[in-house]
């Protein structure tokens, strides 16, 4: 049982006061350690460790819940901008092995570019940006195999 399952089922302490949305499939609640005012988590009631482990019905229900809650977060905080973040697995920074979507409202000047800059730096160092679009045939070989594998799995 994940921490989120325990919170949803037992609702210890003031957890019930943190809940901002719930339906038969999902629960949304304010993050206990928010990165910004209004930082909210949207969680499926059923535990799945990674996003791709969810069945399509749960994934669709989670998407609908995120959409509803994001609109409410925007209205409540006055922020039109926000980050949606999902970490999948320990190596990505996931601390609770239960799918959850972070909705993090953003105001001018509060966004640290350090994450985005470090990701871009890694991309620049490990995968140089081409000077032009790929030529015909560029997706042959390993890149084409990778693309085809992803494409086939997403069908």
């Amino acid at each position: 049982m994940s921490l989120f399952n325990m919170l949803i089922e037992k609702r210890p302490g003031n957890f019930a006061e943190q809940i901002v949305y719930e339906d038969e499939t999902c629960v949304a609640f304010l993050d206990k350690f928010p990165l910004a005012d209004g930082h909210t988590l949207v969680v499926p009631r059923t535990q799945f460790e990674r996003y791709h482990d969810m069945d399509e019905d749960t994934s669709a229900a989670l998407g609908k819940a995120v959409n509803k809650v994001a609109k409410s977060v925007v209205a409540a905080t006055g922020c039109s901008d926000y980050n949606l973040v999902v970490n999948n697995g320990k190596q990505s920074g996931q601390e609770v092995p239960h799918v959850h979507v972070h909705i993090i409202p953003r105001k001018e000047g509060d966004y640290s570019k350090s994450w985005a800059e470090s990701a871009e730096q890694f991309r620049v160092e490990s995968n140089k940006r081409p000077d032009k679009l790929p030529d015909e045939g560029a997706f042959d070989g390993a890149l084409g195999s990778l693309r085809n594998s992803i494409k086939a799995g997403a069908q």
Side-chain angles (χ1 to χ4, degrees), residues 89-140:
K90 187 176 181 179
Q91 298 307 312
S92 72
Q94 184 181 28
E95 295 177 356
V96 177
H98 188 134
V99 168
H100 52 289
V101 179
H102 294 260
I103 302 171
I104 308 168
R106 295 298 182 185
K107 294 182 179 173
E108 188 171 339
D110 79 344
Y111 181 71
S112 168
K113 292 185 179 177
S114 61
W115 177 83
E117 287 174 351
S118 66
E120 177 64 7
Q121 183 66 32
F122 175 79
R123 188 203 61 74
V124 165
E125 291 172 3
S126 64
N127 188 14
K128 302 283 185 213
R129 184 172 291 188
D131 295 329
K132 60 185 181 75
L133 293 175
D135 293 326
E136 187 173 329
F139 287 96
D140 293 341

Side-chain angles (χ1 to χ4, degrees), residues 10-84:
K10 298 184 179 185
R11 300 185 184 217
N14 70 344
F15 181 72
E17 295 174 37
Q18 293 172 256
I19 296 172
V20 296
Y21 172 85
E22 57 185 317
D23 61 28
E24 61 280 349
T25 308
C26 300
V27 178
F29 49 91
L30 297 175
D31 193 297
K32 186 167 179 115
F33 304 102
L35 297 176
D37 291 340
H39 181 168
T40 303
L41 302 180
V42 186
V43 180
R45 290 178 185 272
T46 302
Q47 181 178 351
F48 298 93
E49 184 171 346
R50 290 177 173 80
Y51 198 91
H52 64 272
D53 294 335
M54 286 188 291
D55 57 85
E56 289 184 7
D57 290 339
T58 302
S59 180
L62 180 60
K64 288 179 182 179
V66 168
N67 186 274
K68 288 179 183 180
V69 175
K71 288 176 184 176
S72 294
V73 168
V74 165
T77 63
C79 295
S80 61
D81 299 339
Y82 55 92
N83 294 106
L84 292 179

